[in-house]
Amino acid sequence: MLSIKNLHASIEGTPILRGINLEVKPGEVHAIMGPNGSGKSTLASVLAGREEYEVTEGSVNFLGKDLLDLAPEDRAREGVFLAFQYPVEIPGVSSTNFLRTAVNQVREYRGLEPLDAVKFLSEMKEKMKLVEIDQKLLSRALNEGFSGGEKKRNEIFQMAMLEPKLAILDETDSGLDIDALRVVSNGVNKLKSNENATIVVTHYQRLLDYIVPDYVHVLYKGRIVKSGTKELALELEEKGYDWIKEEVDAAV
Amino acid sequence: MSKDNQILEEFTSKEYEHGWSVDMEVDEAPPGLNEEIIKWISAKKEEPQWLLDWRLKAFKTWSEMTEPEWANVTYPKIDLQALRYYSAPKKSKKPKSLDEIDPELLQIYERLGISLNEQKKLQGIAVDAVLDSVSVGTTFKETLSKLGIIFCSFSEAVKEHPELVKQYLGSVVPMTDNYYAALNSAVFSDGSFCFIPAGVRCPMELSTYFRINAANTGQFERTLIVAEDSSYVSYLEGCTAPQRDENQLHAAVVEIYAAKNAEVKYSTVQNWFPGDKNGKGGIYNFVTKRGICAGDNSKISWTQVETGSAVTWKYPSCILKGDNSVGEFYSVAVTNNYQQADTGTKMIHIGKNTKSRIVSKGISAGKSQNSYRGQVQVMKRATNARNFSQCDSLLMGDRCGAHTFPYIDIQNSSAKVEHEATTSKIGEDQLFYCNQRGISTEDAVALIVNGYAKEVLNQLPMEFAVEAQKLLALTLEGSVG
């Protein structure tokens, strides 16, 4: 589904990603871990098409298409979803209105009829249960005055509504208490299927107790330096990142 | 060039949608402005002597005045002697029904999406459509007249209700008020007159569509709204004009009189031709709008969505004379390309316990300049006066300007005046967030801008709010920075 080959990216001339290789198949959950500043969030942003990052080398193929060639909105319409680490606020625009615009633009791209208000609302009601989100929250301006937990919950709710093929969760656990973490993870797990894939970007192992990955990759200095299964995450939890850093730095 | 700038360019190159004109035989005055012309206009309109005298007096006043230069706008001086001061469609005998209206005129409205027939049937709005200088159709007059409401063209009011016109004309905006008001008083062509008798709540939104159609025609609308004791009216005004190479002057005067316990809501969606992307052409909109809350507990509320005109100079104001009276001003002003807007309000607190509220949302794009100019004045006997002002500016791109000029003059120590102001840019983060959800940049801008202006748009009557939202989206498509 997703095939990243030798991806290099920089911001304002500073290289951040230095040759990422990653294969993601439908139904898989991949966790990207790594110390601060290793390039985890950059990878998520580059895949979503954030403009500040310049791809200097490599390729990304998504469902047979050159992902890097698509505008951010077209990537989203093709089925790439990024749950933001810091969801932005849009004053005066209700979550409902925002999401209806989004859903219908995605549908239009896929040659589907727009959802009318009634269908949209019933769809919303159904998906709201997944993330235990209150309708009151959705009639408020998008993310404005939301708590950290509410923002993250809203991200997963949007994900539920947009039904992406590839969901990238960027530090979704940051700023969540244990209850919110459980709710958000439950939502993500319920949305999992054999047809979609998830990339979980996280600093801590904690989230992976809830969203169990098939593969764990460690990112350091812009490269994937170690890959393994769930056990690797536990090892990292126990020993920290230093031993990996030492291994890598010794090899250079 | 960054993507944002590219989009900005695309957007700035967008042509005015309603830019076209229809050839029509016109009955017009020769160019120039002098006493003879004023007499000619007055005779053409079969006006009584008192009104001609009033016009001539205004002309004399105007002749002694100089053009104001304090506004934050620059434009080539207008040669007022080169303009024509009267232009009317030739077949302008008063129509009895829409069937009698020149099909060519009806076509213009249809092309603008303003079908009188449709309006009449579907929307329940009485439409007094002004094309150039003469009203061409008035609907729902019967329904209104049963309630004693008078809603007609200004010329008709002069003929049918001279005593009312005489009593209120110039009572809120005296002819000596300012240069453009004096000019209007001398040469005003036509406009609307609205009278709501005591105790009557007008059952429908009253609406006027203005349109300029003849080249080189100064258009000088005159609107007078009188709300007697405990009456209520909501009045809508919307404008759109065809594209012209030469600048056209529009200097209107609107007067509102609210008696005891009366409430008047005045809403405007203004979309005059703003000039092309190089700043050529466009309407000069120099308007004087003022209402007086003459009676106790009265209320006047101005709501405006200003997207058009090359130069705008406009300050809808309230004189809060009655005790406990309330004045409101809600404004969204959008400027793009080389547009310049200097707009705001004046709230003059005279009575006790008077309250005013100002919400101004400026949006600047392209190379435009957008200024808010507001005055809050609390007079000596205005005990417990309250004002709240909020002035927000939204910038798109880095070549536009937003300016705020608040003036506050307090002469009573019990007054409470609050002023809040913010300036922001549409953030890349916001746009990227929308993009990531599958929303195109153009729609993202529309969404963000409508969210920003929501507090004002919410004040508009429903059908206007929808129109205004579309207009904002259209005006600002793809404009980011």
Side-chain angles (χ1 to χ4, degrees):
Chain A
M1 162 182 277
L2 180 75
S3 174
I4 304 175
K5 290 206 168 82
N6 191 31
L7 184 65
H8 286 69
S10 56
I11 185 162
E12 286 165 4
T14 309
I16 310 282
L17 302 182
R18 304 157 187 254
I20 302 267
N21 291 292
L22 184 66
E23 293 287 328
V24 179
K25 295 196 180 66
E28 293 178 348
V29 176
H30 289 247
I32 309 272
M33 302 185 70
N36 288 330
S38 57
K40 300 188 302 286
S41 285
T42 300
L43 178 60
S45 295
V46 168
L47 291 177
R50 210 181 178 106
E51 247 187 77
E52 299 97 284
Y53 298 97
E54 195 196 345
V55 174
T56 49
E57 216 183 315
S59 68
V60 180
N61 189 293
F62 178 66
L63 294 169
K65 285 192 174 140
D66 178 0
L67 192 69
L68 301 177
D69 202 33
L70 297 174
E73 58 269 33
D74 285 339
R75 297 182 195 197
R77 293 162 183 173
E78 287 287 345
V80 175
F81 181 91
L82 173 65
F84 285 67
Q85 185 177 3
Y86 305 108
V88 303
E89 302 182 357
I90 305 186
V93 179
S94 73
S95 291
T96 307
N97 187 16
F98 171 78
L99 205 46
R100 197 174 161 207
T101 309
V103 165
N104 282 334
Q105 291 213 356
V106 170
R107 289 180 67 90
E108 193 187 341
Y109 182 82
R110 295 176 186 170
L112 299 169
E113 289 289 305
L115 288 181
D116 60 34
V118 177
K119 279 193 189 135
F120 180 79
L121 281 177
S122 70
E123 178 96 10
M124 240 177 61
K125 286 234 163 76
E126 202 180 299
K127 299 287 166 68
M128 271 158 45
K129 291 181 208 146
L130 282 179
V131 283
E132 300 171 32
I133 202 165
D134 195 332
Q135 186 154 11
K136 271 185 219 142
L137 200 65
L138 300 178
S139 52
R140 277 166 53 187
L142 185 67
N143 291 327
E144 202 182 29
F146 284 27
S147 70
E150 285 170 334
K151 282 183 184 173
K152 294 297 170 76
R153 222 180 268 206
N154 193 21
E155 290 293 288
I156 304 306
F157 172 66
Q158 292 183 27
M159 177 176 146
M161 289 299 289
L162 290 163
E163 299 177 335
K165 291 177 189 127
L166 175 69
I168 304 164
L169 312 182
D170 187 9
E171 308 267 7
T172 294
D173 51 334
S174 70
L176 289 189
D177 62 32
I178 203 77
D179 292 324
L181 187 66
R182 185 186 46 78
V183 171
V184 164
S185 308
N186 278 345
V188 172
N189 287 331
K190 283 180 202 157
L191 293 169
K192 263 197 321 199
S193 79
N194 290 333
E195 273 124 54
N196 60 32
T198 313
I199 295 176
V200 183
V201 175
T202 182
H203 187 74
Y204 299 105
Q205 193 272 339
R206 188 176 73 150
L207 178 65
L208 305 180
D209 286 341
Y210 297 92
I211 303 171
V212 181
D214 299 298
Y215 302 97
V216 174
H217 310 278
V218 180
L219 200 60
Y220 180 56
K221 290 192 174 171
R223 281 192 199 96
I224 290 176
V225 294
K226 208 168 188 66
S227 293
T229 54
K230 165 84 180 141
E231 281 65 38
L232 176 59
L234 293 169
E235 201 180 346
L236 289 168
E237 171 87 346
E238 199 184 314
K239 302 204 284 195
Y241 288 107
D242 285 350
W243 62 281
I244 290 188
K245 287 187 195 170
E246 279 161 24
E247 255 180 50
V248 174
D249 293 338
V252 171
Chain B
M1 192 167 24
S2 80
K3 186 187 164 199
D4 290 345
N5 280 333
Q6 265 174 28
I7 291 164
L8 197 70
E9 290 301 324
E10 273 168 38
F11 154 56
T12 41
S13 63
K14 210 156 220 156
E15 292 294 320
Y16 182 70
E17 267 213 340
H18 295 147
W20 41 265
S21 68
V22 173
D23 284 334
M24 217 174 346
E25 273 187 90
V26 290
D27 188 358
E28 56 187 15
L33 180 55
N34 51 51
E35 284 197 2
E36 290 315 305
I37 290 285
I38 289 164
K39 284 177 188 162
W40 188 91
I41 294 169
S42 191
K44 198 89 196 159
K45 298 172 76 65
E46 300 161 23
E47 284 176 355
Q49 185 62 39
W50 66 264
L51 191 51
L52 174 61
D53 292 343
W54 195 79
R55 283 177 182 274
L56 290 172
K57 202 175 154 199
F59 176 70
K60 200 161 175 288
T61 307
W62 175 79
S63 311
E64 288 156 12
M65 293 171 114
T66 48
E67 211 175 322
E69 283 171 355
W70 44 262
N72 188 27
V73 293
T74 50
Y75 53 91
K77 261 209 177 321
I78 308 159
D79 183 1
L80 292 170
Q81 292 301 339
L83 296 177
R84 289 177 199 279
Y85 288 86
Y86 184 84
S87 160
K90 241 182 184 165
K91 301 162 195 163
S92 67
K93 275 180 195 162
K94 274 279 144 192
K96 296 256 176 339
S97 75
L98 293 174
D99 303 334
E100 289 177 34
I101 292 174
D102 190 333
E104 206 174 0
L105 287 184
L106 290 178
Q107 209 194 334
I108 291 182
Y109 290 113
E110 265 160 43
R111 280 168 67 181
L112 274 171
I114 312 161
S115 153
L116 279 179
N117 292 317
E118 229 180 338
Q119 299 257 358
K120 194 175 168 184
K121 280 182 202 147
L122 298 174
Q123 297 198 348
I125 296 175
V127 175
D128 179 24
V130 178
L131 188 105
D132 278 4
S133 315
V134 175
S135 297
V136 289
T138 304
T139 52
F140 281 107
K141 203 178 251 176
E142 273 176 44
T143 321
L144 295 174
S145 69
K146 274 181 199 152
L147 292 164
I149 294 170
I150 303 165
F151 178 45
C152 62
S153 74
F154 204 93
S155 316
E156 203 177 327
V158 169
K159 289 199 178 79
E160 308 288 327
H161 313 279
E163 70 297 336
L164 284 174
V165 176
K166 207 171 172 176
Q167 185 183 346
Y168 292 103
L169 180 67
S171 69
V172 189
V173 180
M175 61 170 72
T176 51
D177 191 78
N178 68 69
Y179 185 80
Y180 299 109
L183 177 64
N184 176 289
S185 300
V187 299
F188 71 86
S189 35
D190 208 338
S192 296
F193 176 77
C194 176
F195 176 83
I196 317 290
V200 171
R201 199 180 160 85
C202 185
M204 60 183 84
E205 312 275 356
L206 299 182
S207 166
T208 308
Y209 287 93
F210 296 89
R211 188 162 172 76
I212 294 180
N213 193 50
N216 274 331
T217 304
Q219 183 143 1
F220 302 92
E221 301 294 338
R222 187 99 200 173
T223 301
L224 178 55
I225 299 171
V226 178
E228 286 200 318
D229 287 2
S230 305
S231 65
Y232 168 85
V233 65
S234 170
Y235 187 93
L236 314 179
E237 169 208 319
C239 323
T240 161
Q243 184 162 352
R244 288 290 176 194
D245 280 334
E246 290 137 278
N247 291 302
Q248 293 173 301
L249 176 64
H250 182 82
V253 171
V254 176
E255 296 180 277
I256 298 176
Y257 183 91
K260 201 174 164 188
N261 299 321
E263 181 179 348
V264 179
K265 214 172 135 70
Y266 193 104
S267 313
T268 309
V269 173
Q270 187 266 116
N271 185 25
W272 296 112
F273 177 51
D276 67 17
K277 61 183 174 181
N278 298 315
K280 193 165 186 283
I283 305 288
Y284 290 178
N285 197 22
F286 301 145
V287 187
T288 307
K289 288 184 170 179
R290 191 177 304 149
I292 181 163
C293 287
D296 293 351
N297 311 313
S298 55
K299 179 177 175 182
I300 292 175
S301 181
W302 299 99
T303 304
Q304 58 174 28
V305 175
E306 303 279 318
T307 64
S309 298
V311 183
T312 301
W313 182 97
K314 181 181 174 186
Y315 316 91
S317 306
C318 298
I319 300 169
L320 305 171
K321 190 169 168 233
D323 290 347
N324 312 312
S325 60
V326 177
E328 292 177 334
F329 174 74
Y330 294 94
S331 168
V332 177
V334 186
T335 53
N336 185 22
N337 294 323
Y338 287 87
Q339 273 178 281
Q340 306 172 70
D342 194 307
T343 184
T345 185
K346 274 190 207 173
M347 294 290 173
I348 314 291
H349 294 255
I350 299 172
K352 294 183 179 65
N353 306 313
T354 47
K355 276 190 252 173
S356 63
R357 182 178 173 84
I358 298 170
V359 177
S360 164
K361 303 268 183 178
I363 302 168
S364 351
K367 294 174 183 163
S368 67
Q369 297 296 326
N370 202 326
S371 304
Y372 166 80
R373 190 182 301 275
Q375 183 180 359
V376 176
Q377 192 167 7
V378 177
M379 310 297 264
K380 265 196 187 122
R381 70 171 201 93
T383 313
N384 291 324
R386 295 280 178 271
N387 162 266
F388 173 77
S389 302
Q390 185 184 336
C391 305
D392 296 332
S393 309
L394 188 69
L395 300 168
M396 298 192 186
D398 48 14
R399 292 176 296 177
C400 55
H403 316 270
T404 304
F405 305 96
Y407 304 86
I408 296 174
D409 176 11
I410 312 291
Q411 293 168 27
N412 184 309
S413 58
S414 65
K416 198 172 161 188
V417 175
E418 291 173 73
H419 183 97
E420 285 179 13
T422 66
T423 302
S424 53
K425 277 183 92 168
I426 283 201
E428 302 231 332
D429 284 351
Q430 285 177 325
L431 289 175
F432 179 66
Y433 190 81
C434 293
N435 286 158
Q436 213 301 307
R437 297 299 181 253
I439 300 171
S440 69
T441 302
E442 293 203 346
D443 289 320
V445 170
L447 206 63
I448 294 165
V449 164
N450 277 313
Y452 166 78
K454 195 177 179 183
E455 204 181 339
V456 175
L457 298 177
N458 279 350
Q459 297 297 324
L460 291 172
M462 191 57 183
E463 60 273 25
F464 247 30
V466 172
E467 204 175 298
Q469 274 190 15
K470 284 185 187 160
L471 194 58
L472 283 187
L474 182 85
T475 320
L476 289 164
E477 264 177 8
S479 172
V480 288

